[in-house]
Amino acid sequence: MSEKITFQELIDSIADQTNKPKQFTYDFLKDFVEIVNSGLESDGTISIAGFGKFKLRPMDEREGYNPQTGEKFTIPAHNKVVFKPYKALRELVNAPYKHLEAELLDETTHKEHPPVTQKSDDSAPASSPLSDPDKGEQPALDEKQGKAPWEQPAEESEESHNSLRSDDDQSREVEFSDDDIVEFSPDIKITNYEKLKSSGSSSEGGSRRYDPDELRQMAASYSLQRYRQHKRRVKRRILLATAACFVLLLSVGIWHFGTSTKEGSFDLMKVDFFKTAVDTHEVSSPIPGNSDPSAPDIQIRGSEPVANSNTGRESLRPASTKQVITKGQTLWSLAGQQYNNPYLWPWIYDVNKTSLRNPDLILAGQTLAIPLPHGHNGDLSTNDSLQVAMGYIETYRWYKNHGYSKAKYYLYAARLYNGDIFDYTDVIIDDSDLTFANRAR
Amino acid sequence: MNTNEVVTALAKSRDMSKTETRQLLDVILQTFNDHLARGQSFTVPGLGTFSTHTREPRRSYNPHYKQYIMLPPKRVIDFSPSKGLKEGLKQAETEDE
């Protein structure tokens, strides 16, 4: 990959920069090399600022051979010159890969390299029994590898791996100690293999001597059992997941059924509502028998019709659920849960404004009515968005009355949900807020 | 032997002022660095060959944390001393013995 530069080119480029004759540069370099050479001989190290360090590294005498003749000979002890570039130079050279960092590999990645395990597994049954230290090491090797070959077919999640390990740690315990202690005591090996043997139900228990075939069989049955155990676990998990899916589907079905029946009566309801809305607005004749106990004291002149229309539609509309507030919930989070759109929270506030004195405060243990949207797939119908707009108007009023400057944004949002909302309400709206809100399309 | 000593020795043999020598040496080393940064290899006669190569990304193990890590590719400098440099040192060795 690296392209070569001749010494001549090197001299040329140096001479260019120094404005010195090439011959001079050449001589200078030659002297420099000589000094480095002599410095190495006298000192053993030469450090050159901005470049690196030349160092002598003693090499021991070693055996070598001539690759052409195959003849062996000894390489005498000598010193080797090594060059260690300084950090600045190292970083300069590594600039193209500077942004890369070492990344941590999780267990799953090194599971992809089972050949070592495979090998030890194969060699173990073939070698002679008990006395062979290799055999004692076999499980320990598996342990280190973190992955035994028979676990391969199962899903590779670390969780399953851990649970498997914890499950049969009775037999694994021995291996752990094996791994930690390094030297092998014969006892451990024996218990290990007796376990192996007892777990292998297919192998006969009578014989004292372990011939390789038997051992292989034992190992196989041992692994088979472990594999079965794991498989059972995975099966159970799959069963659980299926059950959860089923329950989910069932609940979705019920919900869908519920909404579809509501939709049937929706058209009628909508007409009714509009009628009441128009009635109350234009004539401001309250619906008979509608004594609104909710009408809050803070309501100002002319807000009654709105309240009336509210109660009117509430009586018509069964589509709301009750929910008890738990700690940590907010109207925002409730709306997010219910409609997948937290911005609809003023709707909930509007419906519950009798019990809520403050749109920013709900208490744990309170029961709130959560209105349900009537459109398809949980979308808002025109009616719904009008109600949301109403909710925003209510929120606006509360914020305005309490001197919040953010009130105008709620007016703006109200207009977003229903363009004609200002015709339906007679909440006193500040002129400047109105101009701000009218910018909404 | 540090840079100062090298510069002193060089200035003496070249019959130049130390500042001048230092400046010249800096330019030379800067040129070396530039070429290496560009991935170009060069040979300084009597000293050795400087070149670069890319170290492939590889898996490694941290025995302390018992973690496997993936080391990113890296470009590193190779230096192979020239024959003269090596032989000179061998002779020095034998002379010592």
Side-chain angles (χ1 to χ4, degrees):
Chain A
M1 125 175 199
S2 62
E3 112 195 46
K4 265 213 143 102
I5 288 191
T6 59
F7 186 58
Q8 197 55 52
E9 282 169 331
L10 193 69
I11 293 284
D12 284 354
S13 67
I14 293 168
D16 262 6
Q17 288 179 61
T18 53
N19 293 324
K20 292 257 176 16
K22 282 174 196 168
Q23 187 57 48
F24 174 83
T25 315
Y26 178 80
D27 290 342
F28 187 88
L29 253 179
K30 215 172 166 184
D31 281 2
F32 170 67
V33 169
E34 239 164 59
I35 285 162
V36 167
N37 232 328
S38 63
L40 275 174
E41 274 173 42
S42 62
D43 262 22
T45 55
I46 298 262
S47 40
I48 295 158
F51 195 53
K53 191 192 250 178
F54 294 95
K55 212 173 172 181
L56 283 186
R57 183 181 290 165
M59 304 294 281
D60 285 343
E61 187 181 279
R62 67 189 164 98
E63 283 266 294
Y65 74 99
N66 186 335
Q68 272 173 343
T69 58
E71 212 179 314
K72 278 195 180 174
F73 64 98
T74 47
I75 299 168
H78 61 282
N79 289 323
K80 191 173 131 189
V81 182
V82 290
F83 172 66
K84 190 174 184 228
Y86 284 146
K87 200 176 179 191
L89 181 53
R90 266 182 283 152
E91 278 172 1
L92 188 73
V93 166
N94 192 38
Y97 302 112
K98 205 176 74 190
H99 58 286
L100 296 173
E101 273 180 20
E103 54 188 274
L104 210 74
L105 294 179
D106 51 354
E107 297 284 298
T108 47
T109 324
H110 81 243
K111 276 176 201 165
E112 282 164 15
H113 306 268
V116 184
T117 330
Q118 204 69 49
K119 217 174 100 198
S120 72
D121 197 41
D122 285 344
S123 68
S127 55
S128 66
L130 291 180
S131 57
D132 193 341
D134 272 2
K135 298 195 60 61
E137 201 163 41
Q138 184 212 333
L141 254 174
D142 286 347
E143 190 60 53
K144 262 183 235 149
Q145 200 64 18
K147 171 86 181 161
W150 49 78
E151 283 167 31
Q152 203 76 293
E155 48 177 313
E156 299 238 320
S157 77
E158 198 177 10
E159 195 188 322
S160 73
H161 184 218
N162 280 344
S163 65
L164 181 96
R165 184 182 291 177
S166 67
D167 203 42
D168 46 24
D169 53 16
Q170 229 191 354
S171 59
R172 294 297 254 174
E173 220 166 33
V174 182
E175 291 151 24
F176 266 121
S177 60
D178 239 357
D179 193 23
D180 290 341
I181 293 175
V182 182
E183 328 74 33
F184 297 98
S185 64
D187 306 336
I188 286 168
K189 271 178 276 165
I190 287 163
T191 47
N192 216 345
Y193 273 84
E194 233 130 43
K195 233 159 220 160
L196 237 168
K197 206 165 155 287
S198 62
S199 67
S201 53
S202 60
S203 67
E204 66 280 48
S207 67
R208 276 284 134 79
R209 289 174 58 237
Y210 303 93
D211 58 20
D213 274 346
E214 195 190 335
L215 265 167
R216 190 178 290 125
Q217 205 181 4
M218 283 194 301
S221 62
Y222 177 59
S223 64
L224 198 70
Q225 211 207 7
R226 282 170 48 81
Y227 171 57
R228 275 200 200 121
Q229 235 169 19
H230 187 75
K231 216 171 148 190
R232 219 177 300 139
R233 191 165 300 280
V234 170
K235 241 187 214 161
R236 204 180 305 152
R237 199 164 296 158
I238 288 169
L239 209 76
L240 219 87
T242 332
C245 277
F246 186 71
V247 166
L248 201 80
L249 270 173
L250 207 73
S251 61
V252 165
I254 287 169
W255 180 77
H256 194 75
F257 181 73
T259 48
S260 66
T261 47
K262 260 177 256 149
E263 257 161 36
S265 61
F266 165 63
D267 279 347
L268 189 76
M269 225 165 54
K270 191 175 165 190
V271 169
D272 269 1
F273 164 67
F274 271 118
K275 222 163 51 187
T276 31
V278 167
D279 272 9
T280 50
H281 189 68
E282 282 180 354
V283 196
S284 87
S285 67
I287 292 166
N290 175 23
S291 62
D292 194 358
S294 63
D297 306 338
I298 48 162
Q299 272 192 0
I300 30 169
R301 182 198 58 81
S303 69
E304 214 172 359
V306 179
N308 283 342
S309 71
N310 269 349
T311 42
R313 71 181 181 238
E314 262 161 33
S315 63
L316 283 168
R317 186 167 46 89
S320 70
T321 56
K322 295 258 181 254
Q323 194 160 344
V324 179
I325 305 305
T326 56
K327 198 176 175 190
Q329 273 183 321
T330 60
L331 286 177
W332 173 270
S333 76
L334 273 171
Q337 249 172 42
Q338 197 71 32
Y339 316 119
N340 285 327
N341 181 4
Y343 288 102
L344 297 184
W345 70 266
W347 193 10
I348 305 177
Y349 166 66
D350 185 31
V351 170
N352 297 284
K353 69 172 183 290
T354 50
S355 50
L356 297 175
R357 286 287 150 147
N358 180 344
D360 289 339
L361 181 72
I362 57 174
L363 301 171
Q366 260 182 328
T367 310
L368 293 184
I370 313 282
L372 294 175
H374 293 89
H376 286 285
N377 303 324
D379 285 344
L380 292 176
S381 65
T382 340
N383 189 4
D384 292 336
S385 63
L386 180 68
Q387 290 177 43
V388 174
M390 288 290 196
Y392 269 105
I393 291 284
E394 285 303 315
T395 323
Y396 164 76
R397 191 174 62 196
W398 195 89
Y399 281 139
K400 196 71 194 167
N401 288 343
H402 289 78
Y404 286 96
S405 60
K406 63 180 176 180
K408 61 179 178 182
Y409 300 114
Y410 292 85
L411 209 63
Y412 184 93
R415 195 175 144 81
L416 278 184
Y417 278 98
N418 191 311
D420 304 324
I421 186 66
F422 303 137
D423 298 335
Y424 290 114
T425 181
D426 21 30
V427 171
I428 298 164
I429 295 167
D430 202 80
D431 275 348
S432 61
D433 291 347
L434 194 65
T435 38
F436 177 81
N438 276 335
R439 274 188 261 157
R441 285 288 125 229
Chain B
M1 207 176 188
N2 61 25
T3 320
N4 254 338
E5 291 162 358
V6 171
V7 168
T8 315
L10 248 177
K12 204 171 164 193
S13 75
R14 293 300 306 163
D15 204 11
M16 286 160 66
S17 78
K18 271 208 234 172
T19 19
E20 213 183 343
T21 314
R22 180 107 206 194
Q23 277 167 2
L24 196 54
L25 189 63
D26 280 351
V27 171
I28 288 170
L29 295 176
Q30 192 56 51
T31 318
F32 285 0
N33 291 357
D34 284 351
H35 285 303
L36 285 172
R38 266 182 257 144
Q40 295 165 328
S41 66
F42 56 86
T43 306
V44 181
L47 188 65
T49 305
F50 296 88
S51 62
T52 62
H53 82 273
T54 305
R55 212 179 264 161
E56 294 299 314
R58 64 185 202 278
R59 217 170 119 245
S60 181
Y61 181 64
N62 181 341
H64 186 258
Y65 293 107
K66 304 204 158 108
Q67 284 167 341
Y68 285 90
I69 50 170
M70 198 70 191
L71 294 178
K74 192 177 187 187
R75 210 161 71 166
V76 291
I77 294 173
D78 294 329
F79 170 71
S80 86
S82 77
K83 199 127 191 173
L85 190 59
K86 274 189 205 164
E87 272 173 3
L89 292 167
K90 249 186 203 164
Q91 276 165 15
E93 187 92 356
T94 43
E95 273 165 22
D96 283 353
E97 280 166 5

